[in-house]
mmCIF file of all heavy atoms in Angstrom:
data_model
loop_
_atom_site.group_PDB
_atom_site.id
_atom_site.type_symbol
_atom_site.label_atom_id
_atom_site.label_comp_id
_atom_site.label_asym_id
_atom_site.label_seq_id
_atom_site.Cartn_x
_atom_site.Cartn_y
_atom_site.Cartn_z
ATOM 1 N N LEU A 1193 -1.908 24.014 -15.021
ATOM 2 C CA LEU A 1193 -1.929 22.943 -14.028
ATOM 3 C C LEU A 1193 -2.545 23.446 -12.734
ATOM 4 O O LEU A 1193 -3.429 22.823 -12.162
ATOM 5 C CB LEU A 1193 -0.501 22.451 -13.769
ATOM 6 C CG LEU A 1193 -0.358 21.531 -12.549
ATOM 7 C CD1 LEU A 1193 -1.097 20.226 -12.798
ATOM 8 C CD2 LEU A 1193 1.096 21.247 -12.250
ATOM 9 N N GLY A 1201 -12.596 16.063 -6.948
ATOM 10 C CA GLY A 1201 -12.983 15.367 -5.723
ATOM 11 C C GLY A 1201 -12.880 16.240 -4.493
ATOM 12 O O GLY A 1201 -13.122 17.443 -4.544
ATOM 13 N N THR A 1202 -12.531 15.629 -3.367
ATOM 14 C CA THR A 1202 -12.396 16.400 -2.133
ATOM 15 C C THR A 1202 -11.183 17.301 -2.191
ATOM 16 O O THR A 1202 -10.927 18.057 -1.282
ATOM 17 C CB THR A 1202 -12.216 15.478 -0.930
ATOM 18 O OG1 THR A 1202 -11.100 14.647 -1.181
ATOM 19 C CG2 THR A 1202 -13.451 14.657 -0.695
ATOM 20 N N VAL A 1204 -10.847 19.632 -4.023
ATOM 21 C CA VAL A 1204 -11.249 20.943 -4.509
ATOM 22 C C VAL A 1204 -10.814 22.022 -3.534
ATOM 23 O O VAL A 1204 -10.760 21.826 -2.332
ATOM 24 C CB VAL A 1204 -12.770 20.995 -4.694
ATOM 25 C CG1 VAL A 1204 -13.222 22.403 -5.030
ATOM 26 C CG2 VAL A 1204 -13.181 20.057 -5.800
ATOM 27 N N SER A 1223 10.957 22.136 -4.599
ATOM 28 C CA SER A 1223 10.835 22.870 -3.342
ATOM 29 C C SER A 1223 9.553 22.481 -2.637
ATOM 30 O O SER A 1223 8.891 21.527 -3.015
ATOM 31 C CB SER A 1223 10.852 24.369 -3.617
ATOM 32 O OG SER A 1223 9.589 24.772 -4.097
ATOM 33 N N VAL A 1233 1.986 9.771 18.693
ATOM 34 C CA VAL A 1233 1.147 8.877 17.892
ATOM 35 C C VAL A 1233 0.785 7.651 18.731
ATOM 36 O O VAL A 1233 1.666 6.890 19.136
ATOM 37 C CB VAL A 1233 1.878 8.447 16.606
ATOM 38 C CG1 VAL A 1233 0.995 7.533 15.771
ATOM 39 C CG2 VAL A 1233 2.289 9.679 15.806
ATOM 40 N N VAL A 1235 -0.715 3.915 19.794
ATOM 41 C CA VAL A 1235 -0.763 2.592 19.180
ATOM 42 C C VAL A 1235 -2.160 2.407 18.596
ATOM 43 O O VAL A 1235 -3.153 2.619 19.293
ATOM 44 C CB VAL A 1235 -0.474 1.495 20.226
ATOM 45 C CG1 VAL A 1235 -0.642 0.107 19.609
ATOM 46 C CG2 VAL A 1235 0.919 1.675 20.799
ATOM 47 N N ARG A 1252 14.082 0.761 18.459
ATOM 48 C CA ARG A 1252 15.192 -0.164 18.694
ATOM 49 C C ARG A 1252 16.351 0.570 19.389
ATOM 50 O O ARG A 1252 16.774 1.649 18.943
ATOM 51 C CB ARG A 1252 15.679 -0.688 17.344
ATOM 52 C CG ARG A 1252 16.841 -1.639 17.429
ATOM 53 C CD ARG A 1252 17.509 -1.753 16.084
ATOM 54 N NE ARG A 1252 16.632 -2.340 15.086
ATOM 55 C CZ ARG A 1252 16.663 -3.624 14.742
ATOM 56 N NH1 ARG A 1252 17.528 -4.432 15.304
ATOM 57 N NH2 ARG A 1252 15.848 -4.073 13.824
ATOM 58 N N ASN A 1329 21.898 -11.776 11.057
ATOM 59 C CA ASN A 1329 21.047 -12.980 10.951
ATOM 60 C C ASN A 1329 21.709 -14.190 10.319
ATOM 61 O O ASN A 1329 21.157 -14.831 9.421
ATOM 62 C CB ASN A 1329 19.745 -12.658 10.208
ATOM 63 C CG ASN A 1329 18.854 -11.727 11.010
ATOM 64 O OD1 ASN A 1329 18.909 -11.728 12.242
ATOM 65 N ND2 ASN A 1329 18.056 -10.947 10.327
ATOM 66 N N ASP A 1429 10.076 8.725 -0.284
ATOM 67 C CA ASP A 1429 9.406 9.651 0.631
ATOM 68 C C ASP A 1429 9.314 9.118 2.056
ATOM 69 O O ASP A 1429 9.493 9.865 3.020
ATOM 70 C CB ASP A 1429 7.999 9.955 0.091
ATOM 71 C CG ASP A 1429 7.415 11.232 0.671
ATOM 72 O OD1 ASP A 1429 8.180 12.205 0.882
ATOM 73 O OD2 ASP A 1429 6.207 11.270 0.930
ATOM 74 N N ARG A 1486 3.687 1.980 8.585
ATOM 75 C CA ARG A 1486 4.762 2.709 9.272
ATOM 76 C C ARG A 1486 6.144 2.299 8.791
ATOM 77 O O ARG A 1486 7.157 2.731 9.350
ATOM 78 C CB ARG A 1486 4.690 2.479 10.784
ATOM 79 C CG ARG A 1486 3.515 3.102 11.472
ATOM 80 C CD ARG A 1486 3.698 3.069 12.986
ATOM 81 N NE ARG A 1486 2.506 3.523 13.677
ATOM 82 C CZ ARG A 1486 2.437 3.777 14.991
ATOM 83 N NH1 ARG A 1486 3.515 3.613 15.741
ATOM 84 N NH2 ARG A 1486 1.316 4.182 15.544
ATOM 85 N N SER A 1491 7.915 3.314 0.892
ATOM 86 C CA SER A 1491 8.174 3.887 -0.438
ATOM 87 C C SER A 1491 8.989 2.927 -1.299
ATOM 88 O O SER A 1491 8.705 2.756 -2.491
ATOM 89 C CB SER A 1491 8.904 5.228 -0.329
ATOM 90 O OG SER A 1491 8.023 6.263 0.044
ATOM 91 N N GLU A 1513 -1.761 -2.497 8.288
ATOM 92 C CA GLU A 1513 -2.038 -1.383 9.183
ATOM 93 C C GLU A 1513 -1.001 -1.283 10.312
ATOM 94 O O GLU A 1513 -0.781 -2.249 11.065
ATOM 95 C CB GLU A 1513 -3.438 -1.588 9.778
ATOM 96 C CG GLU A 1513 -3.806 -0.712 10.952
ATOM 97 C CD GLU A 1513 -4.189 0.702 10.556
ATOM 98 O OE1 GLU A 1513 -3.831 1.135 9.455
ATOM 99 O OE2 GLU A 1513 -4.838 1.374 11.379
ATOM 100 N N ASP A 1523 6.638 -12.623 14.668
ATOM 101 C CA ASP A 1523 6.183 -13.681 15.574
ATOM 102 C C ASP A 1523 5.117 -14.498 14.850
ATOM 103 O O ASP A 1523 4.127 -13.940 14.385
ATOM 104 C CB ASP A 1523 5.623 -13.051 16.853
ATOM 105 C CG ASP A 1523 5.303 -14.082 17.919
ATOM 106 O OD1 ASP A 1523 4.747 -15.155 17.581
ATOM 107 O OD2 ASP A 1523 5.602 -13.827 19.094
ATOM 108 N N LEU B 1300 6.289 -14.281 23.756
ATOM 109 C CA LEU B 1300 6.184 -13.386 22.607
ATOM 110 C C LEU B 1300 7.393 -12.478 22.546
ATOM 111 O O LEU B 1300 8.029 -12.326 21.511
ATOM 112 C CB LEU B 1300 4.905 -12.544 22.712
ATOM 113 C CG LEU B 1300 4.815 -11.374 21.724
ATOM 114 C CD1 LEU B 1300 4.742 -11.895 20.297
ATOM 115 C CD2 LEU B 1300 3.614 -10.503 22.028
ATOM 116 N N GLY B 1308 14.512 -11.640 10.816
ATOM 117 C CA GLY B 1308 14.998 -10.694 9.805
ATOM 118 C C GLY B 1308 15.757 -9.527 10.421
ATOM 119 O O GLY B 1308 16.463 -9.668 11.414
ATOM 120 N N THR B 1309 15.622 -8.368 9.788
ATOM 121 C CA THR B 1309 16.308 -7.198 10.316
ATOM 122 C C THR B 1309 15.680 -6.742 11.602
ATOM 123 O O THR B 1309 16.148 -5.806 12.217
ATOM 124 C CB THR B 1309 16.222 -6.029 9.327
ATOM 125 O OG1 THR B 1309 14.852 -5.771 9.068
ATOM 126 C CG2 THR B 1309 16.952 -6.334 8.055
ATOM 127 N N VAL B 1311 15.691 -8.283 14.196
ATOM 128 C CA VAL B 1311 16.392 -8.898 15.318
ATOM 129 C C VAL B 1311 16.891 -7.819 16.276
ATOM 130 O O VAL B 1311 17.257 -6.726 15.886
ATOM 131 C CB VAL B 1311 17.574 -9.740 14.803
ATOM 132 C CG1 VAL B 1311 18.411 -10.226 15.953
ATOM 133 C CG2 VAL B 1311 17.058 -10.912 13.997
ATOM 134 N N SER B 1330 -0.977 0.706 25.134
ATOM 135 C CA SER B 1330 -0.059 1.789 25.493
ATOM 136 C C SER B 1330 1.046 1.894 24.463
ATOM 137 O O SER B 1330 0.983 1.281 23.410
ATOM 138 C CB SER B 1330 0.525 1.540 26.874
ATOM 139 O OG SER B 1330 1.524 0.556 26.780
ATOM 140 N N VAL B 1342 9.997 17.547 -0.588
ATOM 141 C CA VAL B 1342 9.225 16.962 -1.686
ATOM 142 C C VAL B 1342 10.052 15.824 -2.284
ATOM 143 O O VAL B 1342 11.216 16.023 -2.615
ATOM 144 C CB VAL B 1342 8.913 18.023 -2.758
ATOM 145 C CG1 VAL B 1342 8.212 17.389 -3.948
ATOM 146 C CG2 VAL B 1342 8.081 19.141 -2.164
ATOM 147 N N ARG B 1359 -3.912 22.783 2.620
ATOM 148 C CA ARG B 1359 -5.123 23.457 2.173
ATOM 149 C C ARG B 1359 -5.469 24.592 3.144
ATOM 150 O O ARG B 1359 -5.522 24.389 4.376
ATOM 151 C CB ARG B 1359 -6.274 22.451 2.153
ATOM 152 C CG ARG B 1359 -7.607 23.025 1.752
ATOM 153 C CD ARG B 1359 -8.722 22.096 2.147
ATOM 154 N NE ARG B 1359 -8.635 20.826 1.468
ATOM 155 C CZ ARG B 1359 -9.345 20.520 0.382
ATOM 156 N NH1 ARG B 1359 -10.184 21.400 -0.133
ATOM 157 N NH2 ARG B 1359 -9.235 19.345 -0.170
ATOM 158 N N PHE B 1379 -17.344 25.528 -5.730
ATOM 159 C CA PHE B 1379 -16.549 24.495 -6.401
ATOM 160 C C PHE B 1379 -17.065 24.276 -7.822
ATOM 161 O O PHE B 1379 -16.285 24.089 -8.758
ATOM 162 C CB PHE B 1379 -16.619 23.182 -5.627
ATOM 163 C CG PHE B 1379 -15.840 23.182 -4.342
ATOM 164 C CD1 PHE B 1379 -15.459 24.358 -3.726
ATOM 165 C CD2 PHE B 1379 -15.482 21.983 -3.752
ATOM 166 C CE1 PHE B 1379 -14.743 24.349 -2.538
ATOM 167 C CE2 PHE B 1379 -14.767 21.958 -2.575
ATOM 168 C CZ PHE B 1379 -14.400 23.143 -1.966
ATOM 169 N N ASN B 1436 -18.596 19.440 -4.205
ATOM 170 C CA ASN B 1436 -18.478 18.965 -5.595
ATOM 171 C C ASN B 1436 -19.795 18.681 -6.315
ATOM 172 O O ASN B 1436 -19.969 17.623 -6.932
ATOM 173 C CB ASN B 1436 -17.561 17.733 -5.675
ATOM 174 C CG ASN B 1436 -16.133 18.071 -5.346
ATOM 175 O OD1 ASN B 1436 -15.696 19.206 -5.557
ATOM 176 N ND2 ASN B 1436 -15.401 17.122 -4.807
ATOM 177 N N ASP B 1536 -4.502 4.173 11.831
ATOM 178 C CA ASP B 1536 -3.204 4.714 12.227
ATOM 179 C C ASP B 1536 -2.799 5.952 11.438
ATOM 180 O O ASP B 1536 -2.242 6.896 11.993
ATOM 181 C CB ASP B 1536 -2.147 3.620 12.072
ATOM 182 C CG ASP B 1536 -0.883 3.904 12.865
ATOM 183 O OD1 ASP B 1536 -0.986 4.431 13.993
ATOM 184 O OD2 ASP B 1536 0.209 3.594 12.364
ATOM 185 N N ARG B 1593 1.198 9.344 1.562
ATOM 186 C CA ARG B 1593 0.918 10.437 2.506
ATOM 187 C C ARG B 1593 -0.574 10.609 2.767
ATOM 188 O O ARG B 1593 -0.989 11.559 3.444
ATOM 189 C CB ARG B 1593 1.463 11.766 1.974
ATOM 190 C CG ARG B 1593 2.968 11.869 1.954
ATOM 191 C CD ARG B 1593 3.400 13.321 1.694
ATOM 192 N NE ARG B 1593 4.841 13.420 1.511
ATOM 193 C CZ ARG B 1593 5.518 14.563 1.453
ATOM 194 N NH1 ARG B 1593 4.863 15.722 1.558
ATOM 195 N NH2 ARG B 1593 6.821 14.588 1.288
ATOM 196 N N SER B 1598 -4.666 4.282 5.892
ATOM 197 C CA SER B 1598 -5.141 3.189 6.757
ATOM 198 C C SER B 1598 -6.551 2.764 6.382
ATOM 199 O O SER B 1598 -6.856 1.563 6.347
ATOM 200 C CB SER B 1598 -5.107 3.605 8.230
ATOM 201 O OG SER B 1598 -3.800 3.570 8.743
ATOM 202 N N GLU B 1620 3.558 6.679 -4.522
ATOM 203 C CA GLU B 1620 4.617 7.387 -3.813
ATOM 204 C C GLU B 1620 4.255 8.850 -3.540
ATOM 205 O O GLU B 1620 3.953 9.615 -4.478
ATOM 206 C CB GLU B 1620 5.889 7.316 -4.665
ATOM 207 C CG GLU B 1620 7.033 8.208 -4.246
ATOM 208 C CD GLU B 1620 7.806 7.699 -3.053
ATOM 209 O OE1 GLU B 1620 7.282 6.861 -2.295
ATOM 210 O OE2 GLU B 1620 8.952 8.150 -2.881
ATOM 211 N N ASP B 1630 -5.164 16.062 -11.632
ATOM 212 C CA ASP B 1630 -4.900 16.671 -12.938
ATOM 213 C C ASP B 1630 -4.663 15.557 -13.941
ATOM 214 O O ASP B 1630 -3.799 14.704 -13.739
ATOM 215 C CB ASP B 1630 -3.666 17.584 -12.841
ATOM 216 C CG ASP B 1630 -3.456 18.397 -14.108
ATOM 217 O OD1 ASP B 1630 -3.622 17.856 -15.226
ATOM 218 O OD2 ASP B 1630 -3.110 19.578 -13.989
#
Side-chain angles (χ1 to χ4, degrees):
Chain A
L1193 168 66
T1202 56
V1204 173
S1223 78
V1233 181
V1235 175
R1252 179 198 296 262
N1329 292 332
D1429 200 37
R1486 291 192 187 190
S1491 283
E1513 167 78 340
D1523 188 318
Chain B
L1300 168 65
T1309 57
V1311 172
S1330 77
V1342 175
R1359 178 197 297 261
F1379 287 19
N1436 293 332
D1536 199 38
R1593 290 192 187 190
S1598 283
E1620 169 77 340
D1630 188 319

